Amino acid sequence: MRIAQVCYHTSPLAPLGGRQAGGMNVYVRELSRELARQGHEVDVFTRREDADAPETEMLAPGLRLVRLAAGPPAPLDKEAAAPFIPEFAAAMGRFAAAGARPDVVHGHYWQGAAAGEAFARAAGAPHVVMFHTLGEVKNRARVSEREPLARIRRERELAASADAILTASAHEHVLLERYYGADRARMASIPCGVDTERFRPHDREACRRALGIEGERPALLWVGRLEKLKGVDILIDALAQLREADPLLLAVGGDGGAGALRAELEERARAAGLAANVRFAGAVAHEELPVWYAAADVCVAPSYYESFGLAAVEAMACGTPVVASRVGGLIETVTDGVNGYLIPWRCPEPFAEKLEVLIRNPELRANFARAARRSAARFRWDGIARRVAALYDGVVAARAAGAVA
Ligand code: UDP
């Protein structure tokens, strides 16, 4: 099958942990790699951000990155990139017309989906939409900047016109139906995958030494794009309530260079007398992250909302228990009392309580770690990519049947 992945506003090769590059980039990159490994022809389309970068680049056999000109050849944030979506869709159409027509188009985030839909329609191929985050849901979480109505309106149209809506958690189906009036019959849920070769248990002591964590000091870890929705404020407040001696919080991830949120969180830690207990590491290369997960006693995901939460699954694959908010995809990946804890309230006390339980009980931690590692097996990319390919087969077959009828 020839598959087009449309990842418009950020390249799947972008360095991770900035404001714009996170779970979606990992998802598109790893899914495409695995689909190509399984024998499909995959083109990943992204907006050209650098005039000197080649238009096409073979990343692996069967896997091609296609950078197409639309707007200035420079990095743009997604708001600035939005006006060039039609231009990009037309460029994909021209590219495909000169080469090979895709059998299926998979559009990511509302922007990639908007371009993907126009491309799919012109190519006569079915369109699978994956929103990754939904504007309406972000607005209801009430912590980040308000998402514009135009985005939400576009998401509603895309949900109505897609051949299939793929989500990483079944929970999102409820939201799509309730807030977007989307049709359940066209929804499918397949979790994100994790590279279990890369994310596996490592020697804890060696990893702690590598990161300069002293002695048996309890170490908590947070990994993500530093934005308000991630709830790092809750985590700092929880840290202040721990009765443990000198815990350490490692916060991994950048805020895209703006720095405002990081400064705010640093000030929050200082005000709580925790300046020496919180280390902001900035963005860390994806391949180095296993060391961080393995060094930590607990990984914390205190998000106000999370559509899937890859970092939590990566932590579990490394054998690190997770304490997470009971929201979105985390509900389906973390099993309360088995491989971590789920906290139903977005406030520091219950986080502090469960963190303390885990910090104080090495045996419980070891049990959770084993369970976490086991539970990560179902996120292996080979199985996940096969399920996604089966979904593509389904929409292709449905189209063909519709064309015959
Ligand atoms: N990540 C990374 N380096 C960083 C911060 C994050 O490689 O400094 C990766 C992390 O390993 C995960 C992704 O970015 O794969 C974040 O995905 P998640 O689903 O947790 O959050 P999202 O970005 O989708 O909100």
Side-chain angles (χ1 to χ4, degrees):
M1 197 171 3
R2 176 168 283 278
I3 301 161
Q5 301 284 345
V6 186
C7 190
Y8 170 68
H9 76 283
T10 163
S11 164
L13 298 187
L16 300 171
R19 199 169 78 89
Q20 303 218 93
M24 182 180 79
N25 305 63
V26 176
Y27 180 84
V28 175
R29 189 181 68 199
E30 298 296 315
L31 172 67
S32 302
R33 207 184 291 280
E34 189 58 40
L35 287 168
R37 213 176 275 148
Q38 292 175 8
H40 301 288
E41 297 288 328
V42 186
D43 281 334
V44 182
F45 290 94
T46 191
R47 200 185 69 83
R48 191 167 190 177
E49 295 190 321
D50 175 355
D52 296 330
E55 184 175 76
T56 60
E57 189 178 339
M58 287 308 292
L59 301 179
L63 174 58
R64 182 165 63 164
L65 181 66
V66 184
R67 304 176 178 93
L68 296 176
L76 296 178
D77 66 24
K78 39 193 178 220
E79 292 72 29
F84 308 109
I85 292 173
E87 194 179 326
F88 183 75
M92 284 194 289
R94 280 193 302 276
F95 184 89
R101 197 186 72 88
D103 296 305
V104 63
V105 177
H106 188 165
H108 297 272
Y109 187 65
W110 76 268
Q111 297 193 335
E117 190 200 53
F119 175 41
R121 200 178 294 150
H127 186 215
V128 175
V129 165
M130 192 162 191
F131 289 110
H132 296 270
T133 69
L134 289 162
E136 182 68 34
V137 176
K138 272 188 109 171
N139 282 351
R140 281 170 192 268
R142 288 175 208 275
V143 282
S144 38
E145 321 91 77
R146 294 213 44 94
E147 292 298 322
L149 261 181
R151 165 179 176 181
I152 295 166
R153 209 176 301 125
R154 197 73 188 93
E155 286 174 337
R156 187 165 292 126
E157 291 163 1
L158 288 162
S161 60
D163 292 79
I165 308 171
L166 175 57
T167 67
S169 75
H171 170 83
E172 215 141 279
H173 293 188
V174 180
L175 304 175
L176 277 160
E177 191 174 45
R178 187 180 302 156
Y179 302 136
Y180 287 86
D183 171 16
R184 283 248 181 180
R186 284 182 295 110
M187 295 183 205
S189 160
I190 303 172
C192 297
V194 67
D195 180 345
T196 46
E197 297 294 311
R198 169 173 290 166
F199 294 101
R200 59 184 166 78
H202 287 63
D203 182 84
R204 176 178 181 271
E205 300 316 317
C207 293
R208 286 170 71 92
R209 268 197 308 281
L211 298 180
I213 302 170
E214 310 85 1
E216 271 311 297
R217 189 176 189 192
L220 310 176
L221 176 68
W222 173 85
V223 174
R225 289 171 300 114
L226 204 51
E227 62 168 26
K228 282 203 170 139
L229 204 62
K230 295 288 183 178
V232 181
D233 53 338
I234 302 171
L235 181 51
I236 291 175
D237 294 351
L239 197 69
Q241 295 186 13
L242 289 182
R243 283 165 298 175
E244 278 324 295
D246 215 18
L248 178 64
L249 168 60
L250 302 166
V252 168
D255 59 3
L261 181 57
R262 174 163 168 175
E264 196 180 305
L265 293 168
E266 278 170 339
E267 180 47 39
R268 196 179 193 102
R270 233 189 333 270
L274 294 170
N277 298 79
V278 183
R279 269 188 220 161
F280 285 92
V284 168
H286 198 56
E287 47 281 12
E288 284 169 26
L289 277 178
V291 173
W292 294 74
Y293 288 122
D297 297 306
V298 186
C299 182
V300 196
S303 308
Y304 291 92
Y305 183 68
E306 198 64 71
S307 67
F308 182 71
L310 257 183
V313 178
E314 289 164 0
M316 291 195 284
C318 292
T320 304
V322 176
V323 174
S325 302
R326 188 189 285 276
V327 291
L330 294 166
I331 301 171
E332 292 163 42
T333 54
V334 179
T335 311
D336 190 52
V338 175
N339 53 22
Y341 289 113
L342 286 169
I343 311 289
W345 300 280
R346 249 58 75 221
C347 48
E349 294 78 9
F351 275 93
E353 188 191 314
K354 294 302 188 201
L355 288 172
E356 213 154 74
V357 168
L358 280 169
I359 289 170
R360 292 198 171 164
N361 289 287
E363 222 165 278
L364 180 71
R365 227 165 46 227
N367 284 339
F368 275 32
R370 271 191 295 278
R373 176 69 190 150
R374 269 198 305 275
S375 51
R378 74 185 165 101
F379 302 105
R380 284 171 51 113
W381 267 120
D382 49 356
I384 300 294
R386 261 188 209 102
R387 290 171 64 185
V388 175
L391 172 73
Y392 296 159
D393 278 337
V395 291
V396 169
R399 259 301 168 102
V404 170

